[in-house]
Amino acid sequence: MANPSKKKSKKINFHEQLVLTQWLWSKFNPDNIKGMHTLLDLPVHEGIEHEGEDAGQTKFFTELTRDLVDKQTLDIDTLRRYDRNIVRHWLQISEARNEQANSELNLKYFQYLSLLFTEYYLDQYFNHSEQMLEELNATVVAYNEEKSDSEILQPYVANDLNKVAYWSATGSGKTLLMHINILQYQYYTEHASHNDKIEQIILLTPNDGLSNQHLEEFKLSGIEAMTFQKNKSRDQFLKYVQIIDIHKLAERDGDKTIAVESLEGQNLVLIDEGHRGTSSAGVWMSYRDTLTKDGFSFEYSATFGQAINKSNNVIKQEEEEIKTKAKMHFGTKALTKLDDAQLKALNLDELEKQKARRGALREVYAKNILFDYSYKYFYDDGYGKEVNILNMSR
């Protein structure tokens, strides 16, 4: 219900609600995309160092750590480790592409930052999750100050942490980042102190055409993948990325569909424009939660802004659920017309609260988006009308 003690404020821009992104930026210096653009976005800073004490590191790493003591919140050895992981993964997925293009592909600065943020996130998730949760909730508390009820975010819970998203402009190279994200997650599961073995890797796409494109891209990256075949046993495709058109997921098995519950497990789930593949956000988010319940998901979209355009935070979504319930039981959505007993009967149970939390897309993505390189940043960096720049075909 609304909290009358909260002050009203000017409607906030969604970019300003991205609390996970804010928390991650607080770990780096510069602590914003414009500052990093100024520091790193020059051709001379792209590529890998081949000599000196930073040989084998990216040139971005050299710039981030140059001549400044305690410049970063993270210590230099940690940054060095993250950077070496990124280099190793990049070399693996770019080898065949370099041969095909007869040139060396290099990461762009924003791609590198996305991967660096992911390294930090996964390290915290696997090794320091309690501290991570505390820090994220401190970020939420700071964000909530002076916010209206329609803008307030609920605290993170542990189950929120296994889902992250990337707001990536079309043409910014999200396919290659997806492939490296797979390798990053595999690395951290293999080095985790507890058992987080990946049982299967699933990529969800909005249509078969995009599924076929992904299949070709995986081949170039040296990652084994196949389109999903429902009649094969799970053991037969454990080593493959299973590519599934989201329209083939359903509550129950059918001739052309598969019951989403049959895919449950310790999954690594990759989602390409998932919210564009269904007409119902509630159904889609339910499928996502089922697939990732015991695993982890990376989601990618250029259109999160449109997806959340008319969506609510949890407070407002719960209010909508209560009004819908009132209409069903008492024939009106006007809560002021109901007596105390009727209002009490409208209290949401746990399942109804879960539904509201799942349907509050504005809040879901405000707390899930790990890196924001949406079109406004892409355009400001000068890439606006050029969507085939080096490694950035998608």
Side-chain angles (χ1 to χ4, degrees), residues 152 154 312-319 356-357 360 363:
I152 291 171
Q154 301 302 300
N312 295 316
N313 65 349
V314 170
I315 289 176
K316 290 300 180 182
Q317 191 65 27
E318 287 187 350
E319 288 182 4
R357 193 177 181 99
E363 181 157 340

Side-chain angles (χ1 to χ4, degrees), residues 25-138:
W25 274 116
S26 74
K27 306 298 179 182
F28 296 92
N29 186 3
D31 62 0
N32 58 80
I33 194 73
K34 289 185 178 179
M36 285 293 192
H37 171 264
T38 301
L39 179 67
L40 300 177
D41 192 26
L42 290 171
V44 69
H45 299 327
E46 295 178 2
I48 299 170
E49 301 281 10
H50 294 294
E51 55 186 32
E53 64 178 13
D54 288 336
Q57 308 284 160
T58 67
K59 295 178 182 179
F60 294 134
F61 170 83
T62 302
E63 288 306 305
L64 285 172
T65 57
R66 183 186 298 279
D67 300 331
L68 286 174
V69 177
D70 297 327
K71 179 181 179 183
Q72 306 296 339
T73 302
L74 307 180
D75 65 83
I76 193 168
D77 288 337
T78 299
L79 277 173
R80 187 182 299 278
R81 173 165 54 87
Y82 293 164
D83 185 84
R84 285 193 181 276
N85 287 344
I86 293 170
V87 168
R88 185 174 65 256
H89 301 325
W90 176 253
L91 291 177
Q92 178 176 333
I93 71 153
S94 64
E95 182 179 3
R97 297 172 192 277
N98 289 340
E99 292 179 4
Q100 184 183 72
N102 196 29
S103 63
E104 184 175 342
L105 299 180
N106 292 316
L107 284 164
K108 293 294 183 182
Y109 87 95
F110 53 86
Q111 297 170 326
Y112 175 77
L113 291 173
S114 173
L115 297 172
L116 188 60
F117 279 28
T118 305
E119 283 288 318
Y120 182 78
Y121 188 94
L122 292 176
D123 191 7
Q124 298 304 300
Y125 176 76
F126 281 103
N127 301 309
H128 311 284
S129 59
E130 291 184 7
Q131 179 183 341
M132 176 187 190
L133 192 60
E134 289 179 8
E135 291 185 11
L136 283 169
N137 281 328

Side-chain angles (χ1 to χ4, degrees), residues 202 204 228 244-252 256-263 278 283-284 287-288 291:
I202 298 169
L204 300 178
F228 181 77
I244 308 176
D245 178 342
I246 194 171
H247 295 95
K248 295 176 181 176
L249 297 179
E251 294 293 333
R252 298 181 178 85
K256 297 183 179 179
T257 60
I258 181 169
V260 68
E261 288 187 355
S262 69
L263 296 172
T278 61
V283 171
W284 153 236
Y287 290 169
R288 184 192 75 159
L291 291 173

Side-chain angles (χ1 to χ4, degrees), residues 138-195:
T139 305
V140 170
V141 169
Y143 161 82
N144 281 340
E145 292 181 3
E146 305 296 323
K147 295 298 188 300
S148 67
D149 287 317
S150 64
E151 297 163 347
I152 291 171
L153 302 179
Q154 301 302 300
Y156 279 88
V157 296
N159 289 340
D160 292 330
L161 302 182
N162 68 338
K163 295 171 282 289
V164 297
Y166 300 82
W167 196 352
S168 301
T170 300
S172 63
K174 65 180 178 180
T175 301
L176 298 187
L177 297 183
M178 176 193 293
H179 297 180
I180 294 181
N181 290 157
I182 293 172
L183 301 179
Q184 289 178 302
Y185 189 79
Q186 288 176 327
Y187 172 85
Y188 280 99
T189 56
E190 290 167 4
H191 291 80
S193 57
H194 43 87
N195 180 24

Side-chain angles (χ1 to χ4, degrees), residues 108 111 171 378 382-393:
K108 293 294 183 182
Q111 297 170 326
F378 190 63
Y383 298 128
K385 296 182 180 179
E386 302 175 68
V387 296
N388 278 315
I389 306 168
L390 294 180
N391 64 43
M392 303 190 297
S393 60

Side-chain angles (χ1 to χ4, degrees), residues 235-249:
D235 290 342
Q236 289 179 282
F237 53 68
L238 281 179
K239 67 177 183 177
Y240 295 94
V241 176
Q242 294 294 298
I243 306 173
I244 308 176
D245 178 342
I246 194 171
H247 295 95
K248 295 176 181 176
L249 297 179

